[in-house]
Amino acid sequence: EYMGEPTSFMTLRFVLVVAALCLCASLTVADKTPIVYWSQGPQIIRLDVRLKSFQMDSINITRRHLKLRGSAEPGDNYSLDIDFLRPVNHTASNYTVTPNHVYFIIPKVRDEPCWRRLTWSKHAHSWLKVDFVNLDVEGCTHAKNGWRERYSQTAEEEQEDPFETAVRDLRAKAKKRKGKSREHKKEL
């Protein structure tokens, strides 16, 4: 026996050391998220994923998601998982891989005003930056104004004439009264 420390304390210490080693061995290093610059117009979304010496493993684009996996120069693994704010036309999407970038051109499902954000999540992502150089401000403004005009025309067409509404309400009240008077006569 070891002199100075009780046996039960040594056993406890040994168990804690083994548990710590097992925990460290089971942990894997998480993939890093690359910096992504995004811009848009009324019809498309542009993404620029910036990585040095990027080796792509997989890219998957669906109506609501973009998933990218790969590795870069210092041997780091990278993954990108974006849940789009609205559906995109994934079948017409394309991308280009260069040594330092992955460029995406992703068409929107319909011509619409520019999105306030790229992702479904409302919180800001540190890895997501706006690409002000490629942002189509004029196209976004034009699409927003066109949408407002169409919306206001639709709203005006859907509004009823106040006179017609009053007549309809009076007729409904008259029907109610007639029904009540018939019930009253039956009771007598």
Side-chain angles (χ1 to χ4, degrees), residues 22-80:
C22 289
L23 180 62
C24 289
S26 68
L27 293 177
T28 57
V29 177
D31 290 349
K32 295 180 179 181
T33 303
I35 299 295
V36 178
Y37 287 86
W38 80 287
S39 61
Q40 64 176 319
Q43 300 168 345
I44 63 167
I45 296 168
R46 292 178 207 85
L47 300 177
D48 179 5
V49 181
R50 298 183 182 181
L51 290 167
K52 290 188 178 184
S53 303
F54 182 67
Q55 300 283 323
M56 182 179 54
D57 293 338
S58 67
I59 290 180
N60 185 19
I61 304 172
T62 65
R63 285 179 55 84
R64 285 284 191 176
H65 306 282
L66 173 113
K67 294 183 182 194
L68 169 73
R69 306 263 184 269
S71 58
E73 188 176 68
D76 294 329
N77 291 328
Y78 286 89
S79 67
L80 179 64

Side-chain angles (χ1 to χ4, degrees), residues 11-162:
T11 306
L12 177 63
R13 198 164 125 190
F14 176 75
V15 168
L16 289 174
V17 169
V18 170
L21 289 174
C22 289
L23 180 62
C24 289
S26 68
L27 293 177
T28 57
V29 177
D31 290 349
K32 295 180 179 181
T33 303
I35 299 295
V36 178
Y37 287 86
W38 80 287
S39 61
Q40 64 176 319
Q43 300 168 345
I44 63 167
I45 296 168
R46 292 178 207 85
L47 300 177
D48 179 5
V49 181
R50 298 183 182 181
L51 290 167
K52 290 188 178 184
S53 303
F54 182 67
Q55 300 283 323
M56 182 179 54
D57 293 338
S58 67
I59 290 180
N60 185 19
I61 304 172
T62 65
R63 285 179 55 84
R64 285 284 191 176
H65 306 282
L66 173 113
K67 294 183 182 194
L68 169 73
R69 306 263 184 269
S71 58
E73 188 176 68
D76 294 329
N77 291 328
Y78 286 89
S79 67
L80 179 64
D81 203 351
I82 297 176
D83 294 330
F84 294 117
L85 178 64
R86 294 194 185 104
V88 296
N89 185 352
H90 65 285
T91 57
S93 299
N94 60 49
Y95 61 90
T96 305
V97 180
T98 67
N100 295 328
H101 300 270
V102 181
Y103 296 104
F104 291 91
I105 302 291
I106 305 171
K108 294 180 180 179
V109 171
R110 63 181 168 271
D111 191 10
E112 61 186 355
C114 292
W115 302 352
R116 290 182 178 258
R117 60 185 188 275
L118 177 65
T119 63
W120 181 258
S121 171
K122 289 184 179 181
H123 76 277
H125 301 285
S126 61
W127 49 267
L128 189 59
K129 315 281 185 199
V130 176
D131 181 2
F132 290 104
V133 173
N134 292 316
L135 188 63
D136 185 5
V137 176
E138 289 179 24
C140 290
T141 305
H142 181 70
K144 181 172 71 173
N145 292 338
W147 180 83
R148 282 184 178 164
E149 287 175 19
R150 287 189 301 274
Y151 178 76
S152 65
Q153 287 173 354
T154 305
E156 287 173 5
E157 291 169 1
E158 289 179 357
Q159 283 183 342
E160 291 186 28
D161 182 18

